[in-house]
């Protein structure tokens, strides 16, 4: 949610039951402005909230000129002080895939995971139980990254690609019409395209290269994992992703 | 009216042919190479009515049989015809068109119903010949026939209505009696094959394509209209591109970028429904109604609770909460409700459910319950009968089919309404404004099965729940079972708000099964918010825990009820090896939360202050970690529970559906059923040899014995 239209977006997404209390909303509005100024972002988006046992993390992302470039992620525990998170890497993902259960809410908390590792001591090779410590911050980073890759969704036409490379916001985009908004094919995964190059030439002939440069939601497996449960009285449609329930796109 | 022309057949042919030509002219306009007829041209401007009449025929695309279609055309085609007029004059080959319809007009005038019918069935062939003959037909009769046509047209318009199309030309209304009279008069000769072919051809053309609603006839009509409107230079050359454009345009209505699109329908419908919510009830007006409303109603103060939940960061937006409030008010008006509470919202894939927890007034609900019970009992009685008769038949038969040894597990009876899991009634609706639907009571087996599966709700109550192990019921039952589980696990209140009633004899009677009722404590003073947040012991469950059996109070499934004793004397004998079933015990009512089991070293509840910046005005919020989406707040003397979520329990691992049971053994394997290999020849011979040896040895022994005996005797 863009910091500028935060309140409206929160209202629209309230159908899922998750919202922000007034004090959080007020502090978010203020602090996001400051973050934008300090980090010199083009836009600051409020990504969401991850619930933890002791405390909740509030996540924000900053976007620079190129929309599809990796974003900088920040987290805060009280919506006032924000800390930058390191970018996600593959090793982080494999490392944190073993941790299950809820977040604690304490960024310095360390999860202990015992692994059997082969240790060479001289000539002997035997397995030893090694306790691997995984920091919660790492887990946070990789979880955010996975969620983004899986479910970040953008409507067709909102971004366009120029021949020079950078991807810009389409200022003439007025939204999708109601009939288009109900179709899965008018939404894209907001990430580097994976399936695009696998399409046949016939399919590619129908695509518009300036608009269709990301994977569409149509071909997701399992079918029906993204759906449209609600039409808000104002006409906006809420789309929720079944793979990662808790993610709502308005 | 009925002036049968002297010559039925030739006029019929030209008429039909002319009609055919009109029907097929668009196809054949470029194929015709008829000679011009100067006489025809003169007569072109003569008959606007005939023109209209003949045009109307073609417009009738739904049905070929029956007179009315002949006589009507859409204004479109009317225009086309008229537009074609000047075009025809310069000598274009399609000039036959005016000739065609003129002749038809003339010929129509000279025909009666009986002839028109067979004409409809005429074949396509020989159009040229027919036209010529028509042309030679009765030019002189034109004036007289014209007038006749006027009159005659009327009776036929509503003739034998074979299709759904109803003509809306007011001049063509008349009573069936006239028709009957007319048809009585006429003779119906055999339909000519050509007419039949024409009709078939037109029907074929009007067939709509599989992929769309467009028929070839319509498409050709559109194409020709377009061509005639645009008048391109070389239409034959452009025919294909025009064809494609016409087709495309049919499916892509032009959107005007400068003007707004026509507005969306679904939002209007929704707004209409919700408008009904906001209307005041019709009973009573003015002051009386105000007084009634200010008195106590069963509708809770949703807005206040929404405010508190908003402080906690939970809940629906304020306008949606207000709509929920109005919807609950509507529910209270419709049903005899004693208390009502907004239980929460369960999200679904297509639609969501708003759930209201209600208690009916005394005695209201039982009427419906009894009906349902009677039906089920009647069903069971019938089944029992069937079984007994089946048993007898089996005994009589010579081949006794082996009875399966599997007996279904005993059905655990569901709890009575107003007790245990069925303490409250639940109503659901998809949106405020839609009607509230009542959920059925939950049975223990449904709860047991619901624990094993995990399905998203679709939003439709009658959707089937396809899962393994199979869930006994549809989505309404599954929803009810989940609601029961969530209520039992997450409905909490501050310690002291509820207390047990003062009946002390309960404990001894029920054998420690616990009390199942509570009442509000009038002396409750409220617990300070900080204490509520600090310790989980300050909160208690006020709903009964559901036992593994699926009920709140334990029932021994092996106890025979009266019905079972009547039926199954045989079963009693079989049940000699009764397993002793242990009584299941759960934590008693009003247990504090600190006693709840942990999941994976994680506390099952999280308590927070709603706002750390202003603790003096904060609300204590408790969130369940076991059922994500269940929240409770407490502040002073007020508290409330709500659930907004998907309806699933939290599990650290991904859900794995249970595997199907292993394949059952069909038969015990033994020497009877298993194929054994036959002994080989060597084995048989070896066996034989061994047997002989044994025999020989036996004989020798006998001989030895005899000898011994003889010796003995000798001695």
């Amino acid at each position: 949610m863009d910091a500028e239209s935060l309140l409206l977006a929160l209202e629209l997404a309230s159908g899922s039951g998750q919202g922000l209390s007034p004090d959080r909303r007020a502090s978010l509005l203020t602090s996001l402005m400051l973050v934008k100024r300090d980090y010199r972002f083009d836009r600051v988006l409020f990504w969401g909230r991850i619930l933890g046992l002791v405390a909740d993390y509030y996540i924000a992302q900053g976007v620079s000129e190129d929309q599809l470039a990796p974003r900088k992620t920040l987290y805060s525990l009280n919506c006032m002080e924000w800390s930058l998170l390191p970018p996600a890497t593959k090793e982080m993902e494999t490392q944190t895939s073993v941790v299950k259960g809820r977040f604690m809410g304490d960024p310095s908390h360390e999860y202990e995971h015992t692994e059997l590792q082969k240790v060479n001591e001289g000539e002997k090779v035997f397995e030893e139980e090694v306790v691997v410590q995984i920091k919660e911050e790492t887990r946070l980073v990789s979880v955010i990254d996975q969620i983004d890759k899986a479910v970040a969704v953008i409507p067709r036409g909102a971004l366009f690609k120029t021949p020079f490379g950078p991807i810009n916001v389409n200022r003439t985009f007025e939204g999708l019409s109601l009939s288009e908004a109900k179709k899965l094919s008018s939404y894209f995964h907001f990430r580097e395209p994976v399936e695009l190059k696998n399409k046949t030439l016939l399919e590619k002939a129908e695509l518009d290269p300036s608009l269709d440069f990301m994977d569409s939601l149509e071909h997701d497996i399992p079918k029906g994992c993204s759906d449209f449960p609600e039409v808000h009285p104002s006409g906006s449609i809420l789309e929720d992703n079944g793979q990662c329930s808790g993610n709502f796109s308005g | 009216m009925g002036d049968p022309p002297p010559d039925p057949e030739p006029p019929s042919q030209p008429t039909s042919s002319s009609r055919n030509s009109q029907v097929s002219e668009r196809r054949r306009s470029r194929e015709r190479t008829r000679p011009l007829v100067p006489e025809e041209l003169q007569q072109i401007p003569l008959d606007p009515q005939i023109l209209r009449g003949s045009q109307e025929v073609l417009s009738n695309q739904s049905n070929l049989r029956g007179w009315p279609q002949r006589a009507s055309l859409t204004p479109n085609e009317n225009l086309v015809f008229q537009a074609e007029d000047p075009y025809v004059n310069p000598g274009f080959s399609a000039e036959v068109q005016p000739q065609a319809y003129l002749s038809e007009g003339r010929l129509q005038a000279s025909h009666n119903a009986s002839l028109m019918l067979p004409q409809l069935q005429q074949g396509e062939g020989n159009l040229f010949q027919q036209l010529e003959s028509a042309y030679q037909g009765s030019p002189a009769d034109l004036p007289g026939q014209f007038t006749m046509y006027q009159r005659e047209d009327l009776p036929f318009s509503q003739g034998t209505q074979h299709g759904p199309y109803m003509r809306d030309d007011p001049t063509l209304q008349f009573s069936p009696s006239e028709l009957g009279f007319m048809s009585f008069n006429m003779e119906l000769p055999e339909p000519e094959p050509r007419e039949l072919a024409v009709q078939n051809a037109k029907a074929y053309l009007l067939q709509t394509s599989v992929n769309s609603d467009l028929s070839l006839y319509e498409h050709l009509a559109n194409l020709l209209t377009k061509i005639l409107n645009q008048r391109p230079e070389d239409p034959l050359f452009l025919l294909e591109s025009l064809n494609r454009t016409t087709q495309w345009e049919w499916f892509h209505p032009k959107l005007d970028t400068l003007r707004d699109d026509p507005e969306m329908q679904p939002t209007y419908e929704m707004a209409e429904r919700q408008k009904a919510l906001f209307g005041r009830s019709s009973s009573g007006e003015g002051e009386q109604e105000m007084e009634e409303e200010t008195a106590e109603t069963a509708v809770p103060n949703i807005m206040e609770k929404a405010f508190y939940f908003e402080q906690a960061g939970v809940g629906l937006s304020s306008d949606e909460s207000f709509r929920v409030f109005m919807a609950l008010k509507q529910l209270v008006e419709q049903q005899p409700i004693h208390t009502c509470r907004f239980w929460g919202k369960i999200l679904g894939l297509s639609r969501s459910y708003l759930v209201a927890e209600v208690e009916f007034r005394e005695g209201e609900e039982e009427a419906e319950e009894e009906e349902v019970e009677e039906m089920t009992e009647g069903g069971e009685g019938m089944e029992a009968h069937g079984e007994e008769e089946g048993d007898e038949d089996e005994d009589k038969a010579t081949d006794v089919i082996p009875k399966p040894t599997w007996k279904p597990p005993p059905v655990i009876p569901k709890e009575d309404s107003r007790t245990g899991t069925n303490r409250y009634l639940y109503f659901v609706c998809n949106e405020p404004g839609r009607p509230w639907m009542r959920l059925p009571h939950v049975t223990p087996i449904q709860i047991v099965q619901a624990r094993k599966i995990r399905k998203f709700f679709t939003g439709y109550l009658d959707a089937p729940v396809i899962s393994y192990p199979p869930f006994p019921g549809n989505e309404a039952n599954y929803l009810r079972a989940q609601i029961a589980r969530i209520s039992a696990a997450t409905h909490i209140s501050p310690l002291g708000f509820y207390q047990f009633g003062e009946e002390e004899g309960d404990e001894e009677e029920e054998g420690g099964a616990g009390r199942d009722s509570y009442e509000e404590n009038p002396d409750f003073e409220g617990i300070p918010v900080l204490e509520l947040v600090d310790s989980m012991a300050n909160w208690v469950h006020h709903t009964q825990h559901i036992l593994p059996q699926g009920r709140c109070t334990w029932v021994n499934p092996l106890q025979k009820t009266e019905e079972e004793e009547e039926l199954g004397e045989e079963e009693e004998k079989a049940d000699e090896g009764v397993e002793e079933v242990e009584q299941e015990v759960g934590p008693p009512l009003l247990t504090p939360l600190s006693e709840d089991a942990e999941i994976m070293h994680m506390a099952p509840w999280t308590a927070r202050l709603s706002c750390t910046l202003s603790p003096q005005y904060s609300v204590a919020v408790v969130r369940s970690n076991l059922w994500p989406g269940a929240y409770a707040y407490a502040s002073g003397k007020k508290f409330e529970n709500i659930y907004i979520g998907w309806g699933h329990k939290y599990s650290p691992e991904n859900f794995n559906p249970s595997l199907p049971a292993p394949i059952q053994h069909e038969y015990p394997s033994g020497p009877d059923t298993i194929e054994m290999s036959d002994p080989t020849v060597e084995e048989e011979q070896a066996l034989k040899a061994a047997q002989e040896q044994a025999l020989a040895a036996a004989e020798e022994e006998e001989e030895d014995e005899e000898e011994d005996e003889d010796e003995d005797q000798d001695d």
Side-chain angles (χ1 to χ4, degrees):
Chain A
M1 302 165 186
D2 212 326
E4 282 133 34
S5 54
L6 186 64
L7 294 178
L8 175 65
L10 280 174
E11 280 277 321
L12 291 177
S14 62
S16 66
Q18 298 292 328
L20 290 179
S21 53
D23 57 314
R24 295 265 181 250
R25 280 205 291 258
S27 35
L28 259 186
L29 284 172
T30 322
S31 59
L32 285 181
M33 282 290 120
L34 293 175
V35 161
K36 185 173 169 186
R37 178 198 71 183
D38 290 338
Y39 287 86
R40 297 185 214 295
F41 288 134
D42 198 35
R43 281 194 306 160
V44 173
L45 306 171
F46 176 58
W47 187 91
R49 174 174 70 183
I50 292 188
L51 303 173
L53 288 182
V54 175
D56 301 332
Y57 295 106
Y58 294 87
I59 314 288
Q61 285 186 332
V63 187
S64 49
E65 289 285 331
D66 185 1
Q67 301 291 322
L68 207 53
R71 299 170 165 184
K72 297 216 170 73
T73 317
L74 303 111
Y75 79 95
S76 159
L77 290 162
N78 57 2
C79 282
M80 259 309 172
E81 287 131 15
W82 296 87
S83 327
L84 192 61
L85 283 174
T89 58
K90 276 262 177 195
E91 295 120 355
M92 277 191 201
E93 198 180 313
T94 44
Q95 206 182 27
T96 53
S97 58
V98 294
V99 182
K100 297 198 200 293
R102 293 197 184 255
F103 278 91
M104 283 306 293
D106 176 13
S108 55
H109 175 82
E110 294 193 345
Y111 295 97
E112 294 181 349
H113 171 72
T114 50
E115 267 182 14
L116 295 176
Q117 273 190 9
K118 290 197 178 171
V119 176
N120 288 334
E121 275 198 13
E123 294 174 350
K124 291 187 199 172
V125 176
F126 58 88
E127 293 184 359
E128 208 182 80
E129 282 197 3
V130 173
V131 175
V132 176
Q133 306 247 342
I134 303 166
K135 283 177 40 171
E136 176 140 315
E137 225 179 55
T138 322
R139 189 178 173 211
L140 191 63
V141 166
S142 70
V143 160
I144 293 174
D145 190 54
Q146 282 172 359
I147 293 178
D148 263 343
K149 285 212 170 81
V151 298
V153 154
I154 201 154
R156 182 174 185 268
L159 300 180
F160 71 95
K161 191 168 172 177
T162 56
F164 302 112
I167 295 164
N168 301 320
V169 174
N170 184 0
R171 294 201 185 274
T172 61
F173 178 61
E174 276 192 344
L176 301 170
S177 67
L178 191 66
S179 55
E180 275 181 39
K182 289 202 173 168
K183 290 192 250 174
L184 277 180
S185 55
S186 10
Y187 298 93
F188 293 133
H189 280 288
F190 189 58
R191 58 166 192 226
E192 293 292 331
V194 170
E195 291 169 20
L196 211 53
K197 49 187 180 292
N198 295 339
K199 284 189 180 246
T200 64
L201 278 182
L202 269 184
E203 288 170 350
K204 280 197 214 170
E206 293 174 348
L207 302 178
D208 182 355
S210 66
L211 292 181
D212 295 300
F213 51 92
M214 291 180 281
D215 298 327
S216 154
L217 281 189
E218 261 185 317
H219 306 292
D220 272 355
I221 297 165
K223 279 213 168 95
C225 66
S226 300
D227 215 330
F228 305 97
E230 297 192 16
V231 178
H232 197 264
S234 69
S236 63
I237 291 190
L238 216 53
E239 184 243 337
D240 90 274
N241 191 299
Q243 282 176 354
C244 188
S245 38
N247 178 297
F248 282 83
S249 325
Chain B
M1 124 356 346
D3 293 330
D7 215 353
E9 291 224 344
S12 74
Q13 292 174 3
T15 312
S16 59
S17 73
S18 55
R19 190 185 52 260
N20 290 344
S21 62
Q22 285 189 355
V23 168
S24 55
E25 66 180 337
R26 294 200 174 106
R27 261 182 313 151
R28 297 166 189 266
S29 59
R30 301 181 200 289
E31 298 163 17
R32 299 250 184 98
T33 52
R34 302 226 183 183
L36 288 180
V37 178
E39 285 178 63
E40 298 292 336
L41 288 176
Q42 292 165 14
Q43 291 159 358
I44 286 171
L46 272 182
D47 303 339
Q49 284 143 335
I50 296 181
L51 183 71
R52 187 168 39 85
S54 53
Q55 286 168 355
E56 285 172 355
V57 174
L58 286 173
S59 73
N60 206 336
Q61 296 177 353
S62 58
N63 192 348
L64 285 176
R65 312 189 43 152
W67 287 119
Q69 298 143 11
R70 282 183 47 120
S72 66
L73 275 181
T74 56
N76 256 347
E77 302 189 1
N78 201 346
L79 286 173
V80 169
F81 270 102
Q82 288 173 352
E84 285 171 358
D85 259 341
Y87 196 51
V88 163
N89 282 331
F92 185 64
S93 67
E95 197 172 338
V96 291
Q97 296 163 11
Q99 171 189 3
Y101 63 68
L102 264 188
S103 59
E104 176 177 354
R106 275 181 279 137
L107 292 164
Q108 272 185 351
S110 65
H111 277 289
N112 54 18
S114 63
L115 294 172
M116 289 169 117
L117 255 180
Q119 285 165 16
L120 284 172
Q121 296 157 358
Q122 191 169 4
E124 269 188 19
N126 308 324
L127 279 178
F128 298 115
Q129 298 165 8
Q130 289 162 9
L131 261 180
E132 284 177 358
S133 58
Y135 167 61
Q136 291 156 11
S138 45
D141 289 340
L142 182 54
Q145 288 165 357
F146 192 153
T147 51
M148 280 167 61
Y149 165 74
Q150 291 285 311
R151 290 194 310 264
E152 285 176 1
D153 190 36
L154 295 175
F156 303 144
S157 62
Q158 271 195 12
T160 46
Q161 279 291 341
H162 300 278
Y165 178 78
M166 293 298 292
R167 300 191 43 215
D168 36 29
D169 190 339
T171 62
L172 304 171
Q173 312 275 340
F174 44 77
S175 62
S177 59
E178 282 181 292
L179 285 177
F181 176 62
M182 280 165 26
S183 58
F184 208 7
N185 254 352
M186 296 164 239
E187 296 169 357
L188 297 177
E190 280 290 318
E192 293 224 350
R194 275 177 287 188
E195 291 179 2
L196 184 61
V198 164
Q199 192 175 349
N200 288 342
K202 189 162 180 187
Y204 167 73
L205 281 184
L206 287 170
Q207 229 173 23
T208 56
S209 136
V210 175
N211 298 330
S212 67
D213 268 341
L214 184 62
S215 71
L216 181 58
Y217 193 92
E218 275 182 57
H219 173 64
L220 287 172
N222 290 340
L223 179 62
L224 287 168
T225 315
K226 188 181 160 102
I227 290 174
L228 289 166
N229 285 339
Q230 290 180 357
R231 304 289 170 132
E233 280 285 329
D234 192 353
L236 182 57
F237 182 70
L238 295 172
L239 178 62
E240 269 129 39
S241 61
L242 284 172
N243 184 26
R244 187 151 268 277
T245 322
T246 314
Q247 266 182 344
W248 189 87
E249 274 177 12
W250 176 269
F251 294 106
H252 295 82
K254 266 193 193 154
L255 295 173
D256 202 333
T257 47
L258 291 180
R259 268 185 271 161
D260 286 334
D261 277 342
E263 285 147 6
M264 309 175 277
Q265 295 304 321
T267 42
Y268 280 179
E269 288 166 32
M270 195 178 357
E272 281 285 338
R273 271 197 299 268
Q274 291 178 349
K275 181 178 168 189
L277 270 187
F278 289 92
R280 297 186 79 98
S281 59
S282 54
S283 63
E285 284 181 12
E287 291 181 5
Q288 206 180 13
E289 201 180 330
M290 289 293 273
E291 284 176 11
E292 281 178 15
E293 288 191 13
T294 48
E296 283 190 19
T297 61
V299 191
N301 190 350
I302 302 276
M303 298 310 293
E304 188 189 3
K305 298 181 202 258
F307 166 74
Y308 282 115
F309 275 119
E310 194 191 350
Q311 298 293 312
V314 173
L316 310 168
S317 62
S318 48
D319 51 326
E320 193 165 349
S321 302
F322 189 75
R323 282 198 204 98
V324 167
F325 173 62
M326 299 306 289
L328 279 180
K329 190 166 149 201
Q330 192 187 49
L331 176 65
V332 167
E333 281 164 15
Q334 287 168 355
Q335 305 272 351
I337 289 179
H338 180 57
T339 59
C340 169
R341 196 177 80 84
F342 179 55
W343 184 89
K345 180 172 175 182
I346 290 199
L347 306 168
L349 293 177
S350 314
R351 308 192 288 194
S352 311
Y353 293 112
L354 292 171
V355 183
E357 183 182 83
V358 308
E359 254 187 51
F360 271 174
R361 287 197 278 267
E362 295 290 325
E364 291 286 344
E365 166 207 353
E366 289 163 8
E368 292 185 40
E369 287 285 320
E370 282 176 7
E371 286 176 17
V372 173
E373 281 183 18
E374 278 175 14
M375 280 166 52
T376 49
E377 278 178 22
E380 287 173 13
M382 293 296 291
E383 286 173 15
H385 254 300
E387 279 179 21
E388 287 179 4
E389 291 173 5
D391 287 344
E392 290 171 13
D393 286 339
E394 282 182 27
D395 288 340
K396 288 175 190 168
T398 48
D399 280 335
V400 179
I401 304 166
K403 281 194 192 164
T405 49
W406 177 79
K407 285 191 186 356
V411 173
I412 301 171
K414 76 175 182 196
E415 293 181 282
D416 295 329
S417 43
R418 297 178 196 270
T419 60
T421 46
N422 291 326
R423 188 195 171 99
Y424 294 104
L425 266 177
Y426 292 92
F427 282 84
V428 293
C429 80
N430 290 115
E431 256 174 15
R434 288 201 190 254
W436 288 91
M437 286 166 287
R438 179 174 155 172
L439 288 181
H441 278 310
V442 67
T443 60
I445 185 71
Q446 285 170 356
I447 291 189
V448 168
Q449 297 294 74
R451 284 177 172 149
K452 297 182 190 164
I453 65 176
R454 192 174 168 116
K455 288 283 241 180
F456 278 114
F457 294 98
T458 60
Y460 296 94
L461 281 181
D462 46 0
V465 177
I466 302 170
S467 64
Y468 184 78
F471 184 77
N474 56 11
E475 183 156 312
N477 302 106
Y478 183 48
L479 179 64
R480 179 68 181 83
Q482 291 295 92
I483 290 176
R485 288 172 72 198
I486 293 172
S487 299
T490 61
H491 279 157
I492 57 180
S493 57
L495 178 70
F497 190 92
Y498 288 118
Q499 68 186 13
F500 286 121
E502 294 196 354
E503 304 161 25
E504 294 179 357
D506 284 342
E507 280 193 44
E508 296 169 7
E509 283 178 13
E510 303 208 4
R515 303 189 186 136
D516 55 357
S517 67
Y518 49 82
E519 58 182 31
E520 276 188 37
N521 181 358
D523 302 328
F524 179 62
E525 295 254 335
I527 303 180
V529 163
L530 289 172
E531 282 182 33
L532 282 175
V533 170
D534 276 337
S535 158
M536 285 288 103
N538 286 322
W539 296 85
V540 296
H541 286 281
H542 63 256
T543 38
Q544 276 181 306
H545 174 82
I546 301 185
L547 301 168
Q549 200 183 38
R551 292 173 50 110
C552 292
T553 48
W554 190 77
V555 151
N556 188 347
L558 298 173
Q559 265 176 13
K560 299 275 189 268
T561 61
E562 288 179 9
E563 290 177 17
E564 289 179 4
E565 282 178 4
E566 284 172 12
L567 286 178
E569 291 181 356
E570 296 178 9
E571 291 177 17
E572 275 188 25
K573 294 174 195 167
D575 275 343
E576 282 173 1
V578 161
E579 306 155 6
E580 293 207 354
V581 181
E582 283 185 21
Q583 182 176 12
E584 295 165 6
V585 180
L589 202 57
L590 298 189
T591 328
L593 298 195
S594 45
E595 314 257 333
D596 281 0
E598 281 189 356
I599 332 154
M600 274 190 57
H601 316 292
M602 187 172 69
W605 298 91
T606 306
R608 303 264 173 83
L609 274 180
S610 64
C611 173
T612 45
L613 298 172
S614 63
Q616 60 272 43
Y617 299 120
S618 287
V619 173
V621 179
V622 175
R623 185 182 80 207
S624 167
N625 293 327
L626 193 52
W627 291 94
Y631 292 87
Y633 82 86
S635 163
K637 292 195 188 170
K638 300 184 204 163
F639 83 97
E640 182 59 62
N641 296 287
I642 202 169
Y643 179 85
I644 302 184
W646 295 93
H648 295 136
K649 200 169 180 177
Y650 171 74
S651 84
E653 280 92 27
N654 290 333
F655 172 68
N656 277 323
S658 29
L659 296 172
I663 307 173
Q664 293 176 352
H665 285 294
E666 285 179 313
Y667 44 80
S669 50
D672 296 345
T673 47
I674 288 195
E675 188 179 330
M676 315 259 279
S677 49
D678 288 336
T680 60
V681 177
E682 289 87 4
E683 285 178 16
E684 281 187 0
Q685 287 180 344
L687 185 63
K688 203 169 162 190
Q691 280 181 345
E692 285 173 1
Q693 276 185 6
L695 258 181
E699 284 177 6
E700 283 180 14
E701 283 182 13
E702 285 180 12
E703 288 176 6
D704 289 342
E705 286 178 6
E706 286 177 7
E707 288 177 7
D708 287 342
E709 287 177 8
D710 289 339
E711 288 177 6
D712 287 341
Q713 286 176 2
D714 288 342
D715 290 345

